[in-house]
Amino acid sequence: GQVQFNDDMNGCPEKGESCARKAWLVPGNTVLVAQTKPGWSCVWYFAKKRDFTSWIPSASLSPIPTRTVQEADWLGRWLPVEGNNVITLSRRGGHLHVSGNADWHGGINSYGEQVVHVGEIDDDATVKGNRLTFGVPDSTTYECGGEMLLVNGNLIVRDNSNCGGMNVRFDSVYRLAEKTK
């Protein structure tokens, strides 16, 4: 049957029914598991018009194997579930190449203009199975870097916070918008 999503505030999800949200999963829905704790899994579910992140009982999950990733699976233009970022993965000079643009929109400055910070990725990538790294993945330098995981059609991206202006991040889950060769 249905599996209720649960809040994570004020002692939830362990508190029980008082933590239940109005959204739920039905048999056959597919989720990504972000983290677990005893008895619970924090999952990300993509509905047709929006996404949900919440806790569900771990016992309600049935794992599905991660598909084997080929180089061609990475190639294309990827868009986040929410936001304006773009990541493109292509072949360049015998390597997989990652390029992308991201922005962050803040408040209004003293001139009445919206504050916009931008960032970009432009680097060759190293691929091992379903994991891709670019630049310097840790934040020990100011060089842009990060890693990506390709899990059953979902591109999970985390950068090192050095790929653009203040608050600019590529961190998100992306979906393939356009396949390229």
Side-chain angles (χ1 to χ4, degrees):
Q2 297 177 347
V3 177
Q4 201 81 35
F5 283 123
N6 291 273
D7 279 329
D8 65 349
M9 306 193 48
N10 302 321
C12 292
E14 291 86 354
K15 276 186 170 178
E17 289 185 27
S18 66
C19 300
R21 296 175 68 188
K22 292 181 182 179
W24 61 85
L25 296 171
V26 297
N29 288 149
T30 302
V31 298
L32 289 174
V33 176
Q35 61 179 321
T36 61
K37 59 184 177 180
W40 296 95
S41 294
C42 180
V43 300
W44 196 337
Y45 172 69
F46 305 100
K48 289 182 181 177
K49 295 186 179 182
R50 58 181 289 207
D51 62 307
F52 297 92
T53 304
S54 195
W55 291 94
I56 63 172
S58 296
S60 64
L61 293 171
S62 298
I64 58 174
T66 301
R67 292 189 301 258
T68 302
V69 175
Q70 306 298 322
E71 182 180 279
D73 296 330
W74 294 95
L75 302 176
R77 188 169 62 91
W78 296 82
L79 301 176
V81 174
E82 293 183 11
N84 300 319
N85 296 355
V86 176
I87 293 176
T88 302
L89 294 161
S90 60
R91 286 190 185 101
R92 184 188 287 178
H95 292 89
L96 199 60
H97 188 82
V98 58
S99 59
N101 296 299
D103 57 28
W104 174 83
H105 296 263
I108 305 299
N109 66 20
S110 60
Y111 300 107
E113 302 164 333
Q114 184 171 21
V115 175
V116 178
H117 298 170
V118 297
E120 72 175 4
I121 300 171
D122 187 19
D123 205 347
D124 286 337
T126 302
V127 177
K128 291 183 181 173
N130 73 330
R131 183 179 304 272
L132 175 151
T133 58
F134 62 93
V136 178
D138 61 30
S139 58
T140 58
T141 70
Y142 288 108
E143 182 180 340
C144 174
E147 66 180 347
M148 302 178 186
L149 292 174
L150 188 52
V151 179
N152 297 341
N154 299 289
L155 184 65
I156 304 163
V157 179
R158 182 180 355 197
D159 68 38
N160 65 0
S161 302
N162 293 323
C163 296
M166 185 169 55
N167 297 323
V168 176
R169 301 291 180 273
F170 285 91
D171 300 359
S172 193
V173 177
Y174 292 71
R175 294 284 175 85
L176 186 63
E178 180 182 351
K179 188 77 177 146
T180 60
K181 294 182 179 184

